[in-house]
Amino acid sequence: MDFDLNAPHSMGTTIIGVTYDGGVVLGADSRTSTGMYVANRASDKITQLTDNVYICRSGSAADSQVISDYVRYFLHQHTIQLGQPATVKVAANLVRLLSYQNKNMLQMGVIIGGWDKYEGGQIYSVPLGGTILKQPFAIGGGYAKLDRSGSSYLYGFFDQAWKEGMSKDEAEINADGVTKNFYSGDSLPLWHEELEPQNSLLDILSSSSPEPMNT
Amino acid sequence: MSSIGTGYDLSVTTFSPDGRVFQIEYAAKAVDNSGTVVGIKCKDGIVLGVEKLISSKMMLPGSNRRIHAVHRHSGMAVAGLAADGRQIVARAKSEAANYERVYGEPIPVKELADRVAGYVHLSTLYWWLRPFGCGIILGGYDRDGPQLYMIEPSGISYRYFGAAVGKGRQAAKTEIEKLKLSEVTCREGVIEIAKIIYAVHDEAKDKAFELEMSWVCDESNRQHQKVPDDLLEQAKTAAKAALEEMDAD
C-alpha cells in the first residue's frame, strides 16, 4: 500500500448549514485526509470569522484556511470603520471575491453562516469557482479526488426533511442527520457549541434614534 | 468678524498665531456667498432644496443642476464653487460604487459621509492643493433610516436634523428650527423647504432664482429622485402665497 504522505491535505468533507427561525445551525465532519491516510481525525472545519459569522470549510485545507484568515482580517477592519458588527452578506461577499478572483489557484468550497440584526440568520454557499448563492440551507464538500463525501445523499434527505421556519431543535436534528447517518467518516461524539446570544458592545453606540436638542 | 490674515493666510499649511488656518476660512467664505442650500430630515425621509441663482436669462431652466444623485439611495446638494462640487460628487459616486463592489451592499450613508469628508479634508493638508470651496449637504436613506450630513470645506462632517449653507443660512436655520421635524412627512417637508427658500431669497440683491428640490423617502421607494413636478409646482405656489402674506403685513 502506498501512502503518499506528502500529498496535499484535503478534506473529503461533508459540511452543512441550515437556517431556522432565530439563527443558523452549522455542521461538519472532522476528517482531514492526505490521499488514503487520515492526517487528522479531529479537525475543526467550522471556523469563526466574526462574533456573529462562521464559515464551514471544505476542499484544500490550506486554501480555505488562508482565505478565512484574510476575510477575518478585512471584516475586523470593516467592523471598526462601520462601528457595528458586519453583516453575513458582507462576509460572504468578501469570501466570494477572493474565491472568484483567484479561481485559477484555489480549490475550495465553503458555506458561510451567521446572524445579523437586519436579516436574521442567513446561509451563503460559495462553491468552487466563486459563485455566491444565498440559500435557506446548504450542503457541500467532497472536493477530494474521488468524491467520497456523503453530500450527494443529502439532497434526497433534505428534500424530504427540510421545511420553512423550523425551530432550533428541528434544525439540529437536520444537521445530526448529516453527521450520523450519511457519512461514515470520523466524527467526534457529537459535540456542538451553542453560542449565547450577546449584544455586541458596538450596538450600544448606535442604539437609539436621537431627537433634536432643545435650545 | 472677518479679519485679514496678514501673512498667515498665504498657504493652507500655515497656522496663524491664534490657531486658525485662514485659507480654510476663506474657502468657507466662498460657500457663504453662494445661493442657499437647505436639507431636512423628516419622519420618513430627507428633503434637499437649492436656491439656484440665475446669472443669465439665456440659461435653459433645469440646466446647471446643483443636486446630484450619488447612489440609488443618496443624493448631494452643493453650495459654493460648482466646478469644485462636481469633483466631489464624482468622488462620492466612485466611493459608493467601489464599496458596493467589495462589500456587496449599498454604502451606508454614514460611511459615505466619512469618505467625502476625508476627501475634502485631504485638500487642506498639502500646500500644492487648495481647499474645496464647497459646502455639501448629503442626504440618504439606508438600513438605519434616513440620515442627513453636512460637510464643510474644512472637512468637518456632522449629522443633522436640519442644515443650511450659503447666503441665507442664518434665516433658513431659524425657520428650520421652528419646524417639528419628527412629525413632518416628506410631502409636507417639500412645501416647507420651498417656503423657506422663497423667504430667504433676497429680491434686492439677487434677481432671479430657480428652485431645485429632491427627496429620498418612503414615498419615493427609498430612491433619491427629483421631487415630482406636480408636488414641486404645488410647493412653489404655496411658497409664493406665504411670501405675499408676509409682505402684506
Side-chain angles (χ1 to χ4, degrees):
Chain A
M1 287 220 268
D2 281 328
F3 287 120
D4 180 5
L5 296 177
N6 294 319
H9 287 50
S10 72
M11 301 181 279
T13 298
T14 308
I15 48 177
I16 167 176
V18 174
T19 59
Y20 70 94
D21 170 45
V24 295
V25 177
L26 301 174
D29 75 306
S30 60
R31 170 181 289 184
T32 301
S33 46
T34 4
M36 293 265 271
Y37 174 66
V38 177
N40 185 350
R41 65 183 176 96
S43 22
D44 184 1
K45 300 180 187 180
I46 305 179
T47 306
Q48 181 173 29
L49 295 180
T50 71
D51 285 347
N52 54 315
V53 179
Y54 281 68
I55 183 172
C56 302
R57 303 178 292 107
S58 80
S60 154
D63 287 352
S64 60
Q65 280 173 9
V66 113
I67 298 302
S68 301
D69 286 348
Y70 271 116
V71 173
R72 190 179 308 116
Y73 169 63
F74 295 140
L75 281 174
H76 186 209
Q77 296 190 316
H78 181 64
T79 305
I80 291 171
Q81 179 76 7
L82 226 53
Q84 58 186 44
T87 58
V88 189
K89 186 175 194 187
V90 165
N93 202 53
L94 289 171
V95 174
R96 74 98 175 204
L97 281 180
L98 284 171
S99 207
Y100 178 77
Q101 287 166 2
N102 295 293
K103 60 161 81 196
N104 296 331
M105 296 184 283
L106 297 174
Q107 202 176 30
M108 59 171 228
V110 297
I111 294 175
I112 296 114
W115 185 96
D116 60 56
K117 71 182 186 201
Y118 297 110
E119 304 280 332
Q122 299 145 73
I123 294 280
Y124 291 87
S125 212
V126 179
L128 233 50
T131 320
I132 183 171
L133 190 56
K134 179 170 192 281
Q135 297 174 294
F137 66 86
I139 43 192
Y143 294 108
K145 280 241 164 75
L146 309 160
D147 186 351
R148 279 168 296 169
S149 81
S151 60
S152 14
Y153 303 107
L154 295 176
Y155 290 105
F157 173 70
F158 269 94
D159 214 24
Q160 171 245 330
W162 191 87
K163 53 188 196 291
E164 190 81 51
M166 289 185 292
S167 71
K168 182 169 75 99
D169 294 321
E170 290 174 301
E172 273 176 31
I173 293 174
N174 260 309
D176 268 5
V178 173
T179 47
K180 290 201 164 147
N181 302 336
F182 292 103
Y183 182 42
S184 54
D186 270 323
S187 58
L188 301 169
L190 188 70
W191 136 82
H192 87 270
E193 199 179 320
E194 181 180 322
L195 298 175
E196 287 304 319
Q198 249 178 23
N199 286 327
S200 168
L201 285 172
L202 296 165
D203 281 332
I204 298 173
L205 293 171
S206 48
S207 41
S208 54
S209 198
E211 284 296 318
M213 292 189 290
N214 293 320
T215 34
Chain B
M1 195 178 83
S2 56
S3 51
I4 312 167
T6 337
Y8 298 111
D9 60 347
L10 297 174
S11 160
V12 80
T13 53
T14 307
F15 277 101
S16 75
D18 50 348
R20 296 155 71 178
V21 183
F22 281 104
Q23 278 297 311
I24 298 181
E25 295 188 17
Y26 296 161
K29 290 216 178 74
V31 178
D32 293 344
N33 290 333
S34 100
T36 316
V37 173
V38 174
I40 53 171
K41 167 175 140 40
C42 305
K43 198 163 59 169
D44 59 338
I46 305 280
V47 182
L48 301 173
V50 178
E51 172 203 12
K52 210 163 60 174
L53 298 169
I54 299 177
S55 44
S56 153
K57 289 207 174 91
M58 291 296 181
M59 259 174 56
L60 198 67
S63 69
N64 225 15
R65 289 196 62 82
R66 298 278 294 282
I67 304 183
H68 302 93
V70 171
H71 200 54
R72 283 182 299 276
H73 62 17
S74 51
M76 224 180 217
V78 181
L81 303 175
D84 286 10
R86 262 197 292 280
Q87 274 293 90
I88 298 178
V89 170
R91 177 74 183 215
K93 287 179 179 173
S94 160
E95 292 281 1
N98 192 47
Y99 183 98
E100 184 151 7
R101 187 172 53 81
V102 171
Y103 295 105
E105 56 170 24
I107 186 169
V109 188
K110 174 175 190 290
E111 183 67 25
L112 179 61
D114 280 348
R115 294 202 183 188
V116 173
Y119 182 61
V120 170
H121 177 240
L122 213 57
S123 59
T124 65
L125 293 174
Y126 303 104
W127 60 265
W128 65 79
L129 288 177
R130 66 162 173 80
F132 285 105
C134 302
I136 293 151
I137 300 192
L138 166 68
Y141 200 149
D142 64 17
R143 274 194 304 217
D144 297 314
Q147 292 155 68
L148 184 72
Y149 290 87
M150 181 165 83
I151 300 134
E152 299 170 22
S154 54
I156 290 178
S157 156
Y158 287 128
R159 191 174 160 185
Y160 289 90
F161 294 98
V165 280
K167 279 195 188 80
R169 69 187 177 289
Q170 299 287 40
K173 278 189 224 170
T174 319
E175 289 302 311
I176 293 174
E177 278 167 25
K178 291 185 191 158
L179 301 170
K180 282 219 82 184
L181 288 170
S182 50
E183 290 165 17
V184 172
T185 66
C186 274
R187 280 220 148 227
E188 295 161 2
V190 169
I191 316 272
E192 293 301 326
I193 292 274
K195 286 189 194 160
I196 292 173
I197 294 204
Y198 270 81
V200 305
H201 176 68
D202 192 338
E203 274 300 330
K205 292 214 191 113
D206 313 305
K207 296 296 158 55
F209 81 100
E210 196 188 319
L211 175 64
E212 196 180 313
M213 285 213 280
S214 77
W215 66 2
V216 205
C217 56
D218 292 335
E219 206 181 310
S220 76
N221 224 341
R222 303 195 181 186
Q223 312 274 29
H224 177 258
Q225 45 180 236
K226 267 172 59 171
V227 166
D229 288 331
D230 56 340
L231 183 57
L232 191 59
E233 283 315 310
Q234 206 186 331
K236 285 184 186 170
T237 325
K240 286 179 193 151
L243 207 55
E244 307 213 329
E245 226 180 74
M246 264 184 1
D247 290 341
D249 282 339

